[in-house]
Amino acid sequence: MGYTGTITSDAFSAYGTFANKLCGAVILSGCFMHLRRNFVDAIQIIESNTTGDLDDNCPEARIIHKIAEIYHLNTPLNQETPEKRLAVREEKISRLVDKLFEDIHGLVKDPDVFNTFSETMQNALNYAINHEEKFKVFLHDPAVPIDNGAAERAIKPINLIRRNSLFSTSLGGVSYTCTLLSLIETAKANGHSAQLYLDYLSNEAGAFTQAELKEIEEDPDQDFEFLMPWSQKFQEFLKSRIENQQEVLEIIKNLKYPDHLLSTAAENQFEGNLPVLDQIDQNQNNYLPLLSAAMPQSEISPC
């Protein structure tokens, strides 16, 4: 059947077509980031012709302030349990969303008021009203985000390597590329080095026997929680890598290198080599440089 669940997005018509084809299996949720952006575009027109700050007497500014209040309550909920997130959304945030749309409807229902706005503001108001129900979906499902900003940020690196992907000329190649990029972005979203996470997956995959691989092929819906970047096994893998690097650092410290080479090594250290773990002393550097690899090979012999 394909994907089922909720898609948080702007109002691009392709999402609606997709949802309609699946006959209710997909729910569309509005993105408040795109909603706010429309009113920001509208207020910039006023700011270009106005001196001084705009207060809530300006409808464009007032709408943006109300959206900011919604974000102010919702953002901290990202660290809360789904139950707590749902309770706050239904008890507090829903009232703010209702007030926001009451204001928007009030600006639209009076033609004499509506016609005084710029075309950009009129489009922003119509956009909000046309998709009002979608903007309220997140209030009743704690798993639904208020916007799709995280997805847009995650897909940006993929857009940047678009030219490198020109040779994915088959469906199989595209599928493998998407799988690899999904693994990389999952690692990054959980605050881990993508390189280390792929190393971990490679080690785990190499440990499967032929019988286990055949079993996975026959039943792909098995529990692979231990392969996830938030698993305890991956944390243990990271800790072992940190310990290994500490051993290398101790060896390097006992060698006599000129100070300028050590400075060069520090400047050339790999970014994002290792994430900070709670189990590790917080006085250590956030990322432990592997100096032997960071220094140019021609300069690593001891004096």
Side-chain angles (χ1 to χ4, degrees), residues 75-87:
T75 300
L77 299 178
N78 294 335
Q79 309 302 321
E80 299 291 347
T81 63
E83 294 77 14
K84 174 69 177 297
R85 190 180 310 126
L86 179 61

Side-chain angles (χ1 to χ4, degrees), residues 15 31 35 38 46 55 93 113 128 140 159 169 194 247 267 288 303:
Y15 297 117
C31 170
L35 175 66
N38 293 334
I46 296 178
D55 57 22
I93 297 179
V113 174
H140 308 293
N159 290 332
T169 55
E247 293 176 6
E267 292 172 0
L288 298 173
C303 300

Side-chain angles (χ1 to χ4, degrees), residues 165 167-181:
S165 305
F167 301 101
S168 292
T169 55
S170 68
L171 290 177
V174 172
S175 178
Y176 283 120
T177 299
C178 290
T179 299
L180 180 61
L181 292 174

Side-chain angles (χ1 to χ4, degrees), residues 96-112:
L96 296 180
V97 174
D98 287 341
K99 289 180 180 179
L100 169 67
F101 279 95
E102 285 175 9
D103 196 352
I104 291 174
H105 279 284
L107 296 173
V108 171
K109 69 179 182 181
D110 187 343
D112 293 334

